[in-house]
Amino acid sequence: MSTAASRRKGPDPAAEPPGARRRGRPPKGAGQGEADLLAAAARAFSEHGFEGATLRGIAAAARVDPALIAYRYGGKTALWRAVIEDFAEQVEAALDAAGDAADRRLAALVDGLAGLACRRPELVRLILRESTCAEVGERAALIRDLLTRPIHARLLPLVAAVEAARPEPDRADPEVRLFALLGAICMVLATRPSLAAFTDIAADEARLRDELRRSLRLSAGCAAAER
């Protein structure tokens, strides 16, 4: 069972009557309409926040009947959770990259996360919005459990190993270094319009992804992986 899936809580399928329609994130292969709905919801939540996003607006953007949201998810809270769960599975897939030495493996994982973040910038903005709220509520806790903890568990030992190999005066606290790396990914993509005022790289998806990966590798001490 995946890390993301193991953390989900839901009704016991055995307790449901035959033929009952289960609410929540649709199973894989459920159809392009469901995928478009989750993508539209992610954009709406990132641009307007949870309170500002409306189910009618999300349905219109996805070109689906608003009744589909009620039928599949029941309401906005369950749809928001489905968006996060879907992204958590994408993050887990990106973290499945592997290597040999700690710096090379860390470089591969950083590359995977940066690439995913560049492909789904709206989700990065959504997570940044929720994670920086003064009040840590249920949504922020869900992001922490489904996204932050799995990333932390996979990357921290590698960051710690790379830091331990540095000369002592150059070592940073592994926890701070890890969050600095994750924060760099979020902020570069969240402030892309501002970045565009200073460099044309911001308008080039491939160049921005490559430069972000290179900067993250150097910051993480993965320069050896460039060779």
Side-chain angles (χ1 to χ4, degrees), residues 149-226:
R149 289 192 190 282
I151 292 172
H152 181 275
R154 296 284 287 273
L155 267 65
L156 183 65
L158 302 177
V159 172
V162 170
E163 290 301 320
R166 296 179 190 267
E168 189 169 354
D170 297 332
R171 291 177 192 166
D173 179 84
E175 296 277 7
V176 175
R177 176 77 73 177
L178 174 56
F179 274 83
L181 290 170
L182 299 178
I185 294 175
C186 292
M187 288 305 298
V188 167
L189 296 177
T191 60
R192 189 171 174 179
S194 296
L195 180 63
F198 297 92
T199 173
D200 59 2
I201 290 177
D204 187 319
E205 193 75 34
R207 289 179 66 197
L208 178 62
R209 182 181 63 248
D210 290 344
E211 289 299 330
L212 180 58
R213 284 172 167 171
R214 184 174 294 111
S215 296
L216 291 169
R217 284 182 174 196
L218 291 171
S219 179
C222 303
E226 294 282 354

Side-chain angles (χ1 to χ4, degrees), residues 32-108:
Q32 188 60 42
E34 300 277 11
D36 290 344
L37 177 55
L38 289 178
R43 289 192 297 271
F45 290 135
S46 71
E47 293 172 7
H48 307 295
F50 179 81
E51 302 299 337
T54 67
L55 296 183
R56 185 172 296 277
I58 292 170
R63 297 182 179 180
V64 300
D65 191 314
L68 175 64
I69 299 178
Y71 177 64
R72 168 59 73 179
Y73 301 100
K76 188 160 66 171
T77 298
L79 178 59
W80 188 93
R81 182 184 180 98
V83 168
I84 299 302
E85 289 178 343
D86 183 63
F87 189 48
E89 289 192 353
Q90 295 177 51
V91 168
E92 188 171 11
L95 291 175
D96 282 341
D100 297 323
D103 63 343
R104 292 184 180 276
R105 189 171 177 216
L106 179 58

